[in-house]
Amino acid sequence: MLRFKSLGSGSSGNATLVQVMGTPPFRLLVDCGLGLKPLLYRLAAAGLQPDDIHAVFITHEHADHIGCVLALCLRWRIPVWMSRGTHAAIGSPNFGGLLHIARDGETIDLGGMQLTPFTVPHDAREPLQLSCTDGSAKLGILTDLGHATAHVMAHLQVCDALLLECNHDSELLSQSSYPSFLKRRVSGRYGHLSNVAAGNIASAITHSRLKYLVAAHLSTQNNRPELAHGVMLKALGCQRSDIVVAGAASGTPWLQI
Ligand SMILES: [Zn+2]
Ligand SMILES: [Zn+2]
């Protein structure tokens, strides 16, 4: 059994806890895109301390995913996984023997939890997103994606929960005050998913086991929670409560699969 909780999601910072419900429990932090102080505060609000995190996985080098990872891992001696390209893109810092290189399609066995990273089209050096399983439940995490590829779709099949980027509403983005180069970047093939593109992914994968769909990485300017929720509801035809929108600062409650 797995449970997971977003500690916050969006361009101001992404961090997601994934926990295997064993004794003792095993906890992974996916992305660390917050300052150390807000991260510690949000962990404490979830009843946790940094010592309760057993591993960190970083998807790519953008500031909203990297945040305080170096300080967190060095201070609390937490092992960290990222691609070689991501490590190079942040200046190849010395993680003091805690760094492990993650590669597309190579499953990482953390003891009780297996992660499978996969390559995604996004404007970073070597971005990876991932699926996590304890051998029975499967969680897919996909927060920064320009467009769906066959490779991405293959990795997301038959998830019990999916945390999926719903970055923007195309209409709101086109009308927004963003400069045109930024609009092109966000909506481009190496940018971010619109609500409709995310809905198309969710409906196209085999989602017969899907218990929760978490709409994540919403733009504060170019999206609204009810728009993302509505598109996902239409795409999946599920119960309203099966779709959870992750807040920029509030994240989500613990969700169990
Ligand atoms: Zn990004
Ligand atoms: Zn991001």
Side-chain angles (χ1 to χ4, degrees), residues 60-62 64-65 122-124 143-145 185 191-192 217:
H60 63 297
E61 69 269 24
H62 291 161
D64 55 321
H65 298 266
H122 184 58
D123 54 2
T143 57
D144 292 62
L145 179 75
R185 189 235 139 195
H192 292 277
H217 215 302

Side-chain angles (χ1 to χ4, degrees):
M1 202 172 275
L2 287 177
R3 68 174 189 163
F4 66 102
K5 175 182 175 60
S6 166
L7 297 175
S9 185
S11 55
S12 57
N14 296 273
T16 305
L17 287 166
V18 186
Q19 178 177 331
V20 178
M21 305 292 286
T23 315
F26 182 90
R27 294 185 197 86
L28 168 75
L29 182 68
V30 178
D31 285 330
C32 196
L34 301 166
L36 190 55
K37 216 169 156 185
L39 179 70
L40 297 186
Y41 180 81
R42 292 184 202 183
L43 282 173
L48 297 171
Q49 299 174 353
D51 283 330
D52 297 319
I53 297 171
H54 305 104
V56 176
F57 183 93
I58 297 293
T59 59
H60 63 297
E61 69 269 24
H62 291 161
D64 55 321
H65 298 266
I66 285 286
C68 65
V69 67
L70 186 60
L72 178 82
C73 292
L74 287 180
R75 188 151 156 202
W76 281 277
R77 304 295 302 163
I78 306 171
V80 56
W81 277 258
M82 65 182 72
S83 70
R84 197 173 293 285
T86 297
H87 184 235
I90 59 172
S92 304
N94 184 354
F95 277 90
L98 296 162
L99 177 68
H100 301 264
I101 298 300
R103 294 177 186 86
D104 172 58
E106 284 187 13
T107 295
I108 301 160
D109 192 344
L110 296 172
M113 188 191 295
Q114 294 81 44
L115 320 181
T116 305
F118 54 90
T119 298
V120 295
H122 184 58
D123 54 2
R125 182 112 161 225
E126 190 185 348
L128 297 169
Q129 296 286 328
L130 71 157
S131 66
C132 312
T133 182
D134 63 347
S136 55
K138 179 181 173 186
L139 166 68
I141 296 181
L142 187 57
T143 57
D144 292 62
L145 179 75
H147 64 280
T149 61
H151 187 62
V152 167
M153 299 300 272
H155 278 277
L156 294 180
Q157 295 301 332
V158 207
C159 285
D160 296 273
L162 184 56
L163 187 140
L164 179 62
E165 163 166 73
C166 293
N167 179 258
H168 57 275
D169 172 85
S170 298
E171 197 65 24
L172 288 180
L173 178 64
S174 71
Q175 292 164 6
S176 84
S177 58
Y178 276 23
S180 51
F181 79 87
L182 191 53
K183 289 182 186 177
R184 279 198 302 276
R185 189 235 139 195
V186 169
S187 62
R189 286 178 65 76
Y190 293 87
H192 292 277
L193 289 181
S194 69
N195 292 337
V196 169
N200 289 342
I201 290 173
S203 62
I205 56 170
T206 303
H207 55 262
S208 51
R209 273 173 46 178
L210 199 64
K211 194 170 167 193
Y212 293 111
L213 185 296
V214 176
H217 215 302
L218 268 71
S219 165
T220 45
Q221 264 204 44
N222 304 317
N223 209 349
R224 289 200 291 270
E226 64 274 20
L227 294 176
H229 192 278
V231 169
M232 281 301 161
L233 197 61
K234 203 170 154 196
L236 291 170
C238 56
Q239 306 271 334
R240 292 189 68 80
S241 57
D242 297 340
I243 297 164
V244 179
V245 179
S250 57
T252 65
W254 283 108
L255 300 168
Q256 191 162 310
I257 52 175

